[in-house]
Amino acid sequence: MDEEYDVIVLGTGLKECILSGLLSVDGLKVLHMDRNDYYGGDSTSLNLNQLWKKFRGEDKPPAHLGSSKDYNVDMVPKFMMANGTLVRTLIHTNVTKYLSFKAVDGSFVFSKGKIHKVPATDMEALKSPLMGLFEKRRARNFFIYVQNYDEADPKTHQGLDLTTLTTKELIAKYGLVDDTVDFIGHALALHRDDRHLNEPALDTVKRMKLYSESLARFQGGSPYIYPLYGLGELPQGFARLSAVYGGTYMLSKPECKVEFDMEGKACGVTSEGETAKCKKVVCDPSYLTNKVRKIGKVARAIAIMSHPIPNTNESHSVQIILPQKQLGRNSDMYVFCCSYTHNVAPKGKFIAFVSAEAESDNIQSELKPGIDLLGPVDELFFDMYDRYEPVNEPYLDNCFISTSYDATTHFETTVTDVLNMYTMITGKTIDLSVDLSAASAAEEEY
């Protein structure tokens, strides 16, 4: 271990593994260490026995839940947008060859006490029960504008400058009512709160286009895809990638103490009495607790069920977004469900998550609106974890720290953090204009 590396990465969470892979592909000499004896850190995947141990202590899970090894329960479950940044990053690094994807069945939004399919195109807008007749026409006109919008072609802008016009002002031009604005902003553009309404509309329009382009990609019921066997495959895929390019992985390394030189710059990492030297350290917040601050908590419920979520067209995999305004909250709530069709549970079993930024200390009552949508559950676990963000100046101390995972059930915010970190570490931007067909989703039916 007494060698010198360009970068030492601490923690094998998803963000750290993606960065490790990207940096290895760039030709940097990378050492990747984790204090745990398993991959994934906070974003690991647990079998039933591990899940039971984490939430129920020493009890054994009941036999009727099936075999422990048939469960792959992701601790930070997130779907991938089919044309989104993570899929582009996977293709850019060729990690797709280690993974098999399957399209996600459904994308829904909670409005006025009911679950509705998210309409993403002008034709779907005309059929959606979310809106009345006149509102459907107005929404259709807005969707057509968004579908035709091309940033590089001023003719498609209809005289509107979306870099200065706010989302609220753009939507006002089409006369859409608040409930429509709600599902467009939260279920299509995937904003986490309502701040986007007062920000330039270009970001929201780009997000809507990404949603509809991803939806069109697999002709399925949603724009999302998900790996067979869950997200636990992702860190391992990037670990393999890093190894192919000469990166070194070490699990079960206790302590992992970051060493600093006289100027306060990271210069190595010590574990078990040995020090590996390095120029830069990349890590999750748990490895440098004095350089991060707490920014909130995520509350979540994990359910094991024997049926799909009611009112989702029998979807075996689904996301439901509950916009903040519908619940009288300050941020959205998310419901994620996956099942045996993605090989994350035994046949006939479904895993559902309800997650939200915690706004109180009573998780059970706070998550009740989401849990109420699930129907009867076999088992229910509650959990809360703190979220941290870095407060250091990386150019002063050479420490690059990721932000904790948020409550969203899709990957867009996670990958934005990774790509920003990559640019800070290398001074480069990744070219993600890739051939998207390299990540095809499995079409098989179960």
Side-chain angles (χ1 to χ4, degrees):
M1 193 166 120
D2 296 321
E3 291 184 56
E4 179 147 1
Y5 296 86
D6 293 313
V7 179
I8 295 180
V9 181
L10 301 178
T12 51
L14 227 154
K15 292 184 181 184
E16 289 69 40
C17 284
I18 297 174
L19 281 166
S20 175
L22 291 172
L23 297 170
S24 298
V25 171
D26 275 359
L28 297 181
K29 189 176 179 185
V30 177
L31 171 62
H32 201 146
M33 295 158 65
D34 196 316
R35 63 171 83 89
N36 298 314
D37 60 357
Y38 55 85
Y39 285 108
D42 289 339
S43 53
T44 192
S45 208
L46 303 182
N47 64 30
L48 187 60
N49 288 340
Q50 292 166 327
L51 184 74
W52 221 259
K53 189 174 178 188
K54 179 177 172 71
F55 292 108
R56 299 273 160 88
E58 293 310 305
D59 289 352
K60 289 279 181 284
H64 69 82
L65 292 179
S67 167
S68 170
K69 67 178 178 10
D70 288 339
Y71 285 85
N72 295 292
V73 184
D74 293 319
M75 287 296 94
V76 182
K78 292 177 187 286
F79 289 133
M80 299 175 202
M81 192 71 88
N83 283 17
T85 323
L86 178 55
V87 171
R88 289 174 183 275
T89 307
L90 294 174
I91 295 168
H92 171 83
T93 55
N94 211 14
V95 166
T96 40
K97 68 184 176 195
Y98 303 124
L99 301 163
S100 297
F101 294 99
K102 193 168 188 296
V104 171
D105 295 339
S107 173
F108 290 80
V109 63
F110 181 78
S111 182
K112 298 183 196 155
K114 287 187 175 166
I115 300 174
H116 299 275
K117 184 181 186 305
V118 178
T121 64
D122 57 310
M123 297 313 292
E124 287 189 346
L126 286 176
K127 289 187 266 187
S128 175
L130 268 169
M131 299 170 283
L133 183 62
F134 295 112
E135 183 68 3
K136 282 178 181 173
R137 288 180 188 163
R138 291 188 287 265
R140 178 173 181 260
N141 290 337
F142 178 57
F143 281 168
I144 290 171
Y145 173 77
V146 170
Q147 281 159 17
N148 293 338
Y149 185 88
D150 178 353
E151 199 176 353
D153 181 3
K155 287 200 292 290
T156 66
H157 300 183
Q158 295 181 13
L160 304 176
D161 180 359
L162 300 194
T163 60
T164 55
L165 194 74
T166 66
T167 308
K168 190 184 265 179
E169 288 165 341
L170 174 64
I171 288 172
K173 289 187 181 299
Y174 288 87
L176 300 177
V177 301
D178 280 357
D179 284 327
T180 307
V181 174
D182 222 19
F183 85 71
I184 286 173
H186 295 261
L188 279 175
L190 303 179
H191 289 294
R192 289 179 288 168
D193 51 42
D194 279 338
R195 280 180 299 195
H196 66 280
L197 293 172
N198 298 311
E199 292 169 354
L202 182 60
D203 179 45
T204 294
V205 167
K206 280 182 172 175
R207 286 163 171 251
M208 288 178 69
K209 287 179 79 69
L210 172 63
Y211 187 103
S212 58
E213 286 158 11
S214 297
L215 182 69
R217 172 117 178 264
F218 295 122
Q219 308 293 318
S222 89
Y224 304 109
I225 59 175
Y226 198 64
L228 294 178
Y229 303 101
L231 296 176
E233 300 294 297
L234 269 179
Q236 295 182 47
F238 278 103
R240 284 185 199 165
L241 173 80
S242 184
V244 166
Y245 284 90
T248 305
Y249 267 71
M250 295 182 182
L251 296 178
S252 301
K253 299 298 286 184
E255 292 174 2
C256 290
K257 180 173 178 286
V258 180
E259 304 290 353
F260 294 89
D261 64 17
M262 302 291 283
E263 295 175 353
K265 292 184 186 299
C267 60
V269 174
T270 301
S271 175
E272 298 178 301
E274 291 183 296
T275 301
K277 297 192 179 76
C278 66
K279 301 183 182 88
K280 292 173 179 170
V281 168
V282 173
C283 65
D284 70 43
S286 70
Y287 286 87
L288 282 171
T289 52
N290 61 331
K291 290 180 181 285
V292 297
R293 70 181 176 111
K294 186 173 158 184
I295 50 170
K297 291 180 178 180
V298 172
R300 60 185 176 178
I302 306 170
I304 301 175
M305 316 191 300
S306 300
H307 59 82
I309 295 177
N311 308 310
T312 60
N313 304 337
E314 299 291 308
S315 295
H316 282 212
S317 49
V318 67
Q319 174 178 262
I320 306 168
I321 292 181
L322 293 78
Q324 57 173 96
K325 196 179 284 178
Q326 301 293 326
L327 305 177
R329 286 173 48 84
N330 298 320
S331 57
D332 293 356
M333 189 174 294
Y334 302 87
V335 175
F336 168 105
C337 181
C338 222
S339 70
Y340 60 96
T341 57
H342 273 86
N343 300 357
V344 299
K347 192 155 181 63
K349 294 295 180 189
F350 294 73
I351 311 287
F353 280 76
V354 180
S355 59
E357 288 286 328
E359 296 177 7
S360 73
D361 291 326
N362 188 337
I363 306 186
Q364 299 189 16
S365 66
E366 188 162 356
L367 297 179
K368 188 174 185 303
I371 294 168
D372 286 349
L373 301 178
L374 302 181
V377 301
D378 300 341
E379 296 289 341
L380 190 60
F381 309 91
F382 288 97
D383 186 27
M384 194 182 299
Y385 65 87
D386 293 331
R387 289 189 65 224
Y388 297 92
E389 69 176 9
V391 291
N392 64 315
E393 298 286 359
Y395 63 89
L396 294 178
D397 61 13
N398 287 344
C399 296
F400 301 84
I401 307 168
S402 61
T403 301
S404 305
Y405 299 95
D406 62 27
T408 59
T409 43
H410 49 78
F411 261 114
E412 297 308 294
T413 51
T414 299
V415 195
T416 302
D417 186 31
V418 168
L419 296 182
N420 288 341
M421 287 176 71
Y422 174 84
T423 301
M424 283 163 65
I425 295 163
T426 63
K428 298 190 296 188
T429 308
I430 298 178
D431 177 15
L432 293 178
S433 52
V434 293
D435 176 12
L436 284 160
S437 63
S440 55
E443 297 296 334
E444 76 274 12
E445 292 301 318
Y446 286 78

